[in-house]
Amino acid sequence: MSAEFGKAYWEERYRGHTALHRSGPNPQLVAEVGDLRPGTALDAGCGEGANAIWLASHGWRVTAVDIASTALRHAREYAETFGDDVVSRIDWAEADLTAWTPAEEHFDLVCAHYVHPAASRQIVFRRLAAAVAPGGTLLIVDHHPSHEPALSHATVPAVHITPAELAAGLDSDRWDIAVAEARTRPATDSDGCENTLHDAVLRARKRP
Ligand SMILES: C[S@@+](CC[C@H](N)C(=O)[O-])C[C@H]1O[C@@H](n2cnc3c(N)ncnc32)[C@H](O)[C@@H]1O
């Protein structure tokens, strides 16, 4: 993965756009997690917080981690508009997922949406999988290879991944794969243009 997607890249990106991801929670998160009983959640690479806020609004106790302090500042401000209950359910943390290791087998849900760490994505995903408690859920949503190269920052093949590649990182003795799919969804980009996004979605349950 290129160093292009390191901390400096993301800080600059969030400085340029004050509300980059405020269009609401990711539809894949809503579809995959909406029926789960709330517990503890880790949102890895939380950006400006839309997914963490949605989880907190639905009763989850969330640890939301991002490398970009600018994103976290926007996220905190955004969360405040949802009231004290939501604010009290989220711990925001600035950390580099390539260096920070979450507590093992701790979270009922670990999710990551479009996180392309500058160092090895496989190592980061392995740590995220290890952080899921027995019986808990891992949800990874990322850019599928058929994602239009002209859209957003997803211009280099290194950010793309297939559902099969995501699933291959999980030990089949420990995980049940519930969803490993390519999906499309409509989205409005930061310039206000309507587009079709191609997602790779993995939802898996760690065996109790
Ligand atoms: C495309 S944005 C997605 C944000 C959010 N998950 C969403 O879907 O709205 C990718 C996020 O991952 C964060 N990120 C990238 N590399 C990271 C790393 N090594 N450690 C922590 N966060 C990272 C970026 O700062 C950015 O907020």
Side-chain angles (χ1 to χ4, degrees), residues 5-7 9-11 13-14 20-22 24 26 43-51 65-69 71 94-99 111-119 124 141 143 153 185:
F5 294 115
K7 179 175 169 62
Y9 170 87
W10 289 107
E11 295 288 7
R13 196 167 152 78
Y14 285 112
L20 201 57
H21 297 291
R22 283 198 185 170
N26 188 288
D43 183 13
C46 63
E48 290 177 313
N51 296 322
V65 174
D66 203 281
I67 198 171
S69 58
E94 183 180 338
D96 179 349
L97 293 167
T98 66
C111 61
H113 299 81
Y114 316 110
V115 179
H116 329 294
V124 171
V141 179
H143 298 299
H153 65 288
R185 63 184 178 91

Side-chain angles (χ1 to χ4, degrees), residues 151 187-196:
L151 298 182
T188 308
D189 68 19
S190 50
D191 298 324
C193 298
E194 297 297 323
N195 283 307
T196 299

